[in-house]
Amino acid sequence: MIKIRNTENLAGVTISGDFDDLYNLVEAIYSVTIDELSQKNHAYIDMSRRVLGLCYELRHAYQGDREIELIENQMNEAKMNFHSFIAPKNNVYYSCNYLYPEMFYIMLAINQLVELRMEMLAKTRFLMREALDKRVVWDDKIATIRVFQAAFVKCVKGTLTENTFARWMNVMNGYDTRVHLMETQYLDFLNVKYIKMSKDKRLKTLSPITKRIVEYYRDDDYKEISEAIDEAVSEFGWPKSEIKIQGIEYPENIEW
């Protein structure tokens, strides 16, 4: 089962699971992302690339390139004697860390991508009908993603106060989320700003930073970044996703 817990300094979360857990999660996320050659859902391509950044980390985790831990599996000598075989007493779990602002964005983005998959499977645009359609209810990819999201929400719930968590849930589940239109350089800006905070400041910022992501189009910093991107596109003709904003640099090491 996928497990998600806070990192020591609240820079983000640690996502962990056995090989199959992480492999199946990566396959599920791949199934909802939009191919770069897609014409129908072209507006979701940049958002999908960002989501695939999580897949990159998860894939390296189950390949053994990140952290590995041993988890007790409740096997003991009595059970082995009863079944007449020798078995390990621990399971191998693989894990990786992911920044909190990025995780908020990923959750919102996945919700939008799952909606597209629901429309595709049910062949209708009526969300209430889609959610209950037999081709949606029994879809293993959506189920795997929802388990992952539920684990993250459980982690957040255990981190925030009851009232703050309630407000956070309202923000995350608003009907006006359209992060597929966001210039994701703004997300880099929020990530870098968050990394520079102390642990106490990070805790106080978790709910407000979610609101900034959801309502990015109202944010003055976003408007400034978006204007700079538009100017670069006009002057150099580069794709928006390839433009870097001066001053937004990730540190080599993060105090997770």
Side-chain angles (χ1 to χ4, degrees), residues 187-214:
L187 188 55
D188 292 319
F189 165 78
L190 294 179
N191 281 336
V192 171
K193 187 174 182 178
Y194 184 79
I195 290 170
K196 294 178 180 179
M197 294 178 184
S198 66
K199 181 178 180 179
D200 290 340
K201 184 68 180 294
R202 287 170 178 171
L203 179 59
K204 295 176 182 177
T205 304
L206 285 179
S207 184
I209 209 167
T210 304
K211 189 175 179 64
R212 291 189 72 178
I213 293 171
V214 171

Side-chain angles (χ1 to χ4, degrees), residues 50 99-109 112 152 168 171-172 176-184 186-191 194 205-219 222:
R50 198 80 186 197
L99 290 168
Y100 248 123
E102 192 81 21
M103 282 294 288
F104 293 145
Y105 174 88
I106 293 295
M107 294 297 122
L108 295 165
Q112 290 190 253
F152 178 69
W168 179 82
V171 172
M172 289 291 289
D176 194 29
T177 54
R178 42 185 174 176
V179 293
H180 66 291
L181 299 176
M182 179 196 290
E183 310 292 2
T184 54
Y186 174 66
L187 188 55
D188 292 319
F189 165 78
L190 294 179
N191 281 336
Y194 184 79
T205 304
L206 285 179
S207 184
I209 209 167
T210 304
K211 189 175 179 64
R212 291 189 72 178
I213 293 171
V214 171
E215 300 180 357
Y216 64 91
Y217 47 87
R218 298 178 180 174
D219 190 280
Y222 178 78

Side-chain angles (χ1 to χ4, degrees), residues 76-110:
N76 55 40
E77 299 295 335
K79 291 177 182 178
M80 284 188 271
N81 288 334
F82 179 80
H83 291 283
S84 300
F85 71 87
I86 298 174
K89 297 181 180 180
N90 296 287
N91 293 336
V92 177
Y93 266 47
Y94 304 89
S95 64
C96 63
N97 296 331
Y98 224 62
L99 290 168
Y100 248 123
E102 192 81 21
M103 282 294 288
F104 293 145
Y105 174 88
I106 293 295
M107 294 297 122
L108 295 165
I110 286 178

Side-chain angles (χ1 to χ4, degrees), residues 222-246:
Y222 178 78
K223 293 174 183 177
E224 184 178 341
I225 289 171
S226 182
E227 288 173 2
I229 292 171
D230 288 339
E231 289 176 6
V233 170
S234 177
E235 183 174 355
F236 303 106
W238 298 330
K240 286 187 175 184
S241 60
E242 295 181 10
I243 295 172
K244 306 293 183 183
I245 303 297
Q246 188 174 5

